[in-house]
């Protein structure tokens, strides 16, 4: 009986250490751009050399194949419909398909949190279309996350959505970077994010 209790204690103790390590480990969800794929972006991990990311868990999902209006309805990997490119400040958006894509991102986050990762250790990063989806996903998530990184993205939501952003979501830090020579998502689209986020 004593031996059994000792074995059980060891199992609980070991399990506790493993779950604590998983809770503290960063989880990075990387969302690719229009027409791209998750596996094609996996080498981005090699760019990040920080010791804090040495045990990070990365996930590179691929967008489903959907018809895309800006490409004459051609079917390609796309998180949501894009009515026009190049994307400028004030370009049309398809908010309905964006909100559907946000639900899928939230399901991934919920699943990771259910596995034991703390919300403050969840980071969403995206480039171009994936950056736009990152912003929408962060601002509509009901908890404060570790952060969101929008790389040459745009604001995919109308100002009327601002009052739907949970208070906890507004506390999530956002890094915004944009290439000045981006010919698909113009620099002005990135600049338009500042007044939107200030609201």
């Amino acid at each position: 009986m004593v031996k059994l209790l000792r074995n059980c204690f060891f199992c609980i103790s070991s399990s506790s250490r493993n779950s604590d390590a998983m809770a503290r480990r960063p989880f990075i969800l990387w969302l690719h751009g229009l027409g791209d794929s998750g596996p094609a972006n996996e080498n981005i991990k090699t760019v990040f050399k920080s010791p804090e990311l040495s045990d990070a868990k990365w996930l590179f999902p691929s967008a489903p194949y959907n018809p895309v209006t800006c490409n004459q309805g051609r079917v390609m990997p796309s998180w949501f419909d894009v009515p026009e490119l190049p994307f400028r400040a004030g370009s049309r958006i398809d908010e309905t398909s964006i909100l559907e894509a946000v639900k899928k991102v939230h399901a991934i986050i919920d699943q990771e949190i259910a596995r034991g990762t703390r919300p403050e250790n969840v980071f969403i990063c995206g480039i171009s279309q994936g950056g736009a989806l990152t912003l929408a996903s962060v601002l509509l998530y009901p908890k404060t996350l570790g952060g969101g990184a929008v790389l040459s993205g745009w604001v995919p939501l109308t100002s009327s959505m601002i009052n739907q952003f949970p208070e906890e979501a507004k506390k999530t830090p956002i890094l915004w970077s944009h290439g000045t020579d981006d010919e698909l998502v113009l620099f002005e689209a990135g600049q338009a994010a500042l007044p939107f986020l200030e609201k």
Side-chain angles (χ1 to χ4, degrees), residues 19-95:
S19 61
D20 189 51
M22 191 170 87
R24 288 189 320 240
R25 172 199 67 191
F27 171 72
I28 302 169
L29 176 61
W30 186 274
L31 303 174
H32 63 75
L34 178 65
D36 207 346
S37 73
N41 282 253
E42 287 186 15
N43 65 341
I44 198 72
K45 291 189 290 188
T46 63
V47 174
F48 296 92
K49 312 280 188 191
S50 171
E52 288 86 1
L53 298 179
S54 60
D55 64 341
K57 177 183 176 183
W58 293 75
L59 185 62
F60 295 87
S62 292
Y65 279 76
N66 286 307
V68 179
T69 301
C70 70
N71 287 333
Q72 294 76 49
R74 204 171 91 213
V75 174
M76 61 177 59
S78 179
W79 300 110
F80 53 84
D81 192 26
V82 180
E84 57 188 87
L85 282 179
F87 196 92
R88 309 170 185 276
S91 282
R92 290 178 298 137
I93 56 173
D94 182 346
E95 201 166 63

Side-chain angles (χ1 to χ4, degrees), residues 135-136 138-139 150 155 159 162 165 170 172 174-176 190-199:
L135 183 67
V138 165
L139 291 177
V150 180
V155 176
S159 296
I162 290 175
F165 299 159
K170 294 177 186 176
T172 300
I174 295 172
L175 167 71
W176 194 293
Q191 289 177 307
L194 186 57
F196 180 88
L197 291 173
E198 284 175 339
K199 288 179 186 177

